[in-house]
Amino acid sequence: MVLEQLSIVNYKNIEGATLSFSPKINCFIGNNGAGKTNVLDAVYFLSFCHSANGNQDALAIRHNEEFFVIEGNYSSFTNFSPLTSQPSPLKVFCGMKKGQKKHFKRNGKEYQRLSEHIGLIPLVMVSPADMLLIEGSSEERRRLMDLTIAQCNRPYINALNRYNKALQQRNALLRDEDHEPDAQLMELLEEEMARQGEEVSACRSAFVEELTPAFQQFYNTVSDGHEQVSLNYVSHCQRGPLLDVIRRDRMKDRAVGYSLHGIHRDELEIHIDGHPMRREGSQGQQKTFVIALKLAQYEFLKRKEERGERKEESDLPLLLLDDIFDKLDAHRVEQIIRLVASQQFGQIFITDTNREHLDQILSHGDCDYRLFRVNEGQVSLSSELSNS
């Protein structure tokens, strides 16, 4: 998939911009707070129907404005128009007014359910917020698994949604202090949690098994093999039939007011040299870990595409790299630059305050690129620094 043009109106600090992109590398240079990340976030929004930071949609509307609009024109080089034999165009629109719900359209037709859009435009974003994968709760690591699998497995989204709905209803029964939970309803909800949860857990387990070799290879490339890293998926499904596990401590669940067991408590353990990364890893090692993990996420989606396992036809995922070089030594920066400039990735969007990093990437790769300058929400193409 290639994003050919992006139009932004009143999105965060960007009043208005219409940008035409290179099919390979697009660089954004500017000071902190200039709006570079907001451009990438608009691209992210068009893939996942929400901002990368998870904030309420209304907070994306520019201050003192009443609405925002984002539009993207894409082309796919594996999905051709039968009439013209040209790459099939795709137009995605998102608009929202204050106090109203957002509208999301594909080629002019509005979605009935936003989940139908997920996976149409595969995308991986690497940003400073990804450090929460190490420093944050297990929810952050489950989100990584869910977000990746959902882009290539529509039934997974449905199973996860059904599980979460049953979990919420069970928790509501557990919290009701005035009435004893309806036994029959409780059993039905637990059966639904077990049925959907085992499907989700199986997908997560297969995902981690496939992701791990690519992740370790990327990490070894960047670190020159100085450390050994590993991933380990831990699930309550590994304790036996999930229905038995959920029911086992129903009285304790009732006492605390929520469900203590289920796939909502799954964990992705991350280690360096056999020890928890959060405790033992330096800042540079942790940053390397996160970048390698996200590049492996990209490789996972790429392989699904190559094997034709995604329902929607497209080609390589988009790769968004937001300020990825901070806290890395010169050698690791050099290795990442070589990776990014290689031919194994498709269209790339990258931001940095350091012009030198971007120049190194462009000098390493003999490919098409465009460089944009961002200043106080204004985005402009630096024509003298573009080869297209």
Side-chain angles (χ1 to χ4, degrees):
M1 189 69 72
V2 171
L3 176 56
E4 296 182 338
Q5 187 176 77
L6 176 70
S7 297
I8 306 173
V9 178
N10 295 333
Y11 188 77
K12 298 192 173 180
N13 77 327
I14 302 174
E15 180 179 4
T18 299
L19 310 172
S20 296
F21 297 124
S22 160
K24 181 54 180 173
I25 297 180
N26 299 277
C27 303
F28 298 86
I29 185 78
N31 296 326
N32 290 325
K36 306 182 302 298
T37 298
N38 293 339
V39 177
L40 268 58
D41 195 59
V43 177
Y44 184 99
F45 206 116
L46 290 178
S47 281
F48 296 108
C49 308
H50 61 77
S51 171
N53 59 26
N55 288 340
Q56 295 180 4
D57 296 327
L59 296 179
I61 301 176
R62 190 166 178 264
H63 292 318
N64 302 318
E65 300 293 345
E66 296 298 317
F67 70 94
F68 78 77
V69 169
I70 314 171
E71 291 184 279
N73 294 330
Y74 301 81
S75 62
S76 167
F77 286 87
T78 59
N79 189 14
F80 289 86
S81 168
L83 297 178
T84 65
S85 297
Q86 296 296 315
S88 179
L90 168 67
K91 185 171 185 177
V92 178
F93 167 93
C94 179
M96 181 178 181
K97 293 182 179 180
K98 282 186 177 179
Q100 300 182 21
K101 71 173 186 176
K102 62 188 168 190
H103 295 274
F104 227 92
K105 299 178 182 180
R106 171 184 177 179
N107 291 335
K109 183 177 180 180
E110 186 154 4
Y111 284 102
Q112 295 300 311
R113 293 183 300 174
L114 294 181
S115 62
E116 297 172 359
H117 180 72
I118 306 303
L120 176 65
I121 307 167
L123 179 150
V124 172
M125 183 172 183
V126 188
S127 76
D130 291 325
M131 293 304 293
L132 286 174
L133 290 169
I134 295 173
E135 302 166 352
S137 68
S138 60
E139 181 180 359
E140 300 293 337
R141 294 175 285 281
R142 287 193 299 273
R143 184 178 294 116
L144 171 75
M145 294 189 285
D146 295 340
L147 193 61
T148 310
I149 300 170
Q151 292 187 72
C152 54
N153 187 338
R154 185 65 53 77
Y156 181 85
I157 304 177
N158 297 331
L160 184 62
N161 287 340
R162 287 193 290 265
Y163 176 89
N164 286 332
K165 183 177 180 179
L167 172 65
Q168 292 170 1
Q169 291 175 320
R170 184 178 190 266
N171 286 345
L173 291 179
L174 294 171
R175 288 193 300 267
D176 189 347
E177 299 179 356
D178 298 325
H179 306 90
E180 280 300 311
D182 182 284
Q184 186 175 8
L185 178 57
M186 180 70 78
E187 289 180 2
L188 289 174
L189 294 174
E190 290 169 344
E191 290 171 0
E192 177 74 351
M193 287 175 61
R195 182 166 51 251
Q196 306 302 336
E198 287 178 345
E199 181 177 342
V200 168
S201 180
C203 290
R204 288 175 175 173
S205 179
F207 163 70
V208 175
E209 183 177 357
E210 183 173 345
L211 184 80
T212 298
F215 158 67
Q216 291 174 328
Q217 182 177 350
F218 278 121
Y219 191 95
N220 288 338
T221 297
V222 176
S223 69
D224 268 352
H226 288 164
E227 311 98 26
Q228 297 298 313
V229 291
S230 63
L231 302 172
N232 181 40
Y233 173 58
V234 180
S235 174
H236 286 174
C237 287
Q238 297 162 350
R239 301 180 181 181
L242 187 56
L243 182 58
D244 294 343
V245 174
I246 293 172
R247 286 177 171 172
R248 191 174 301 156
D249 286 326
R250 188 189 287 176
M251 295 305 296
K252 187 181 294 185
D253 291 353
R254 174 68 168 156
V256 298
Y258 56 88
S259 302
L260 292 168
H261 302 290
I263 56 99
H264 61 287
R265 306 297 292 270
D266 283 0
E267 175 64 282
L268 181 62
E269 296 179 342
I270 53 180
H271 292 92
I272 181 169
D273 293 333
H275 302 288
M277 174 62 79
R278 173 164 31 188
R279 191 179 68 217
E280 298 292 333
S282 67
Q283 286 187 325
Q285 289 169 333
Q286 291 183 3
K287 188 68 175 282
T288 304
F289 190 103
V290 166
I291 292 173
L293 190 59
K294 300 306 285 285
L295 293 182
Q297 179 188 5
Y298 182 98
E299 186 68 18
F300 175 86
L301 292 172
K302 176 182 173 182
R303 289 176 181 174
K304 293 292 183 182
E305 195 65 48
E306 291 171 345
R307 294 198 297 261
E309 295 181 26
R310 281 172 24 84
K311 291 192 177 293
E312 298 285 356
E313 284 193 77
S314 62
D315 27 18
L316 297 179
L318 306 181
L319 180 61
L320 278 54
L321 304 173
D322 185 24
D323 191 23
I324 64 172
F325 298 112
D326 185 42
K327 298 183 174 64
L328 293 175
D329 60 47
H331 176 76
R332 295 189 187 220
V333 168
E334 174 71 14
Q335 293 300 100
I336 292 172
I337 285 172
R338 290 183 182 276
L339 277 173
V340 171
S342 71
Q343 297 301 311
Q344 67 189 104
F345 301 103
Q347 190 178 27
I348 298 173
F349 299 82
I350 181 167
T351 72
D352 206 291
T353 57
N354 188 336
R355 167 72 185 280
E356 181 182 349
H357 292 151
L358 300 181
D359 284 344
Q360 288 184 61
I361 292 173
L362 299 178
S363 67
H364 275 78
D366 182 19
C367 58
D368 190 77
Y369 68 87
R370 291 191 180 183
L371 194 149
F372 299 85
R373 292 194 174 276
V374 186
N375 182 38
E376 296 183 353
Q378 301 296 315
V379 188
S380 58
L381 176 67
S382 295
S383 56
E384 74 279 7
L385 300 172
S386 170
N387 69 349
S388 61

